[in-house]
Amino acid sequence: METKKTIYQLHEEHKTWLNKLLFYKDELKIMGNRITEVAEKNTSKELRSLADHFHNQLIIQKEQIDILNHDIKSHESYLEAAVRKNPNAVDHEKFSDHKKHRESIAVFEKLFRELREELIDFLSKWM
């Protein structure tokens, strides 16, 4: 059976996810700065290769953040359209849960944590 939620519940989840994604985006900048800092201090081919690998991973994660942001904002627009269409019923109407978005955020967060752990190991070895 499909879960139904109020527009307010869905909106709160959207806000939470968007704030998390902002945090992750900031964290990517910090990670990128650390990688660059280490790469500038060491000219080893192994380190350069690893630094390139991590920079590429950060680019991929940023792209995923952009995709998630777009998807969440699109769903928010859908909810806003529903409110404009029928403003009186919005307090009583239930909407389908956005399970796909929740799963996408969970997968992203898992992969981000794994990348962060790999990067910490890399930095601790080369700093």
Side-chain angles (χ1 to χ4, degrees):
M1 187 171 125
E2 184 178 20
T3 306
K4 298 279 190 172
K5 292 188 173 183
T6 67
I7 196 168
Y8 304 109
Q9 291 170 313
L10 297 173
H11 178 67
E12 281 303 312
E13 284 182 317
H14 287 165
K15 286 190 334 187
T16 299
W17 292 337
L18 291 172
N19 284 332
K20 282 183 174 186
L21 293 173
L22 276 174
F23 171 79
Y24 290 129
K25 202 169 198 176
D26 285 344
E27 197 163 349
L28 287 175
K29 290 177 191 169
I30 294 167
M31 291 174 169
N33 291 339
R34 293 295 162 259
I35 295 167
T36 300
E37 187 180 306
V38 169
E40 288 173 350
K41 294 178 182 177
N42 191 319
T43 57
S44 145
K45 285 187 181 195
E46 179 187 2
L47 177 114
R48 293 287 177 180
S49 174
L50 288 169
D52 287 344
H53 163 75
F54 281 111
H55 275 299
N56 290 336
Q57 291 300 309
L58 297 184
I59 290 168
I60 291 168
Q61 292 303 309
K62 185 187 177 309
E63 289 171 353
Q64 289 304 306
I65 288 172
D66 291 344
I67 291 167
L68 290 168
N69 264 318
H70 178 270
D71 290 349
I72 292 166
K73 288 177 181 177
S74 291
H75 195 248
E76 189 71 14
S77 293
Y78 161 77
L79 295 176
E80 288 172 6
V83 169
R84 281 192 300 277
K85 183 178 176 184
N86 194 353
N88 295 329
V90 77
D91 287 337
H92 311 290
E93 188 175 351
K94 298 271 187 164
F95 295 85
S96 297
D97 188 19
H98 41 205
K99 183 179 175 185
K100 179 188 112 187
H101 296 109
R102 182 176 295 101
E103 290 170 353
S104 296
I105 292 287
V107 168
F108 171 81
E109 288 182 315
K110 177 185 179 295
L111 295 173
F112 193 92
R113 278 191 305 275
E114 290 171 359
L115 175 62
R116 184 188 306 131
E117 289 171 12
E118 288 177 35
L119 183 58
I120 289 170
D121 289 344
F122 162 75
L123 293 173
S124 65
K125 178 179 177 183
W126 291 98
M127 283 189 107

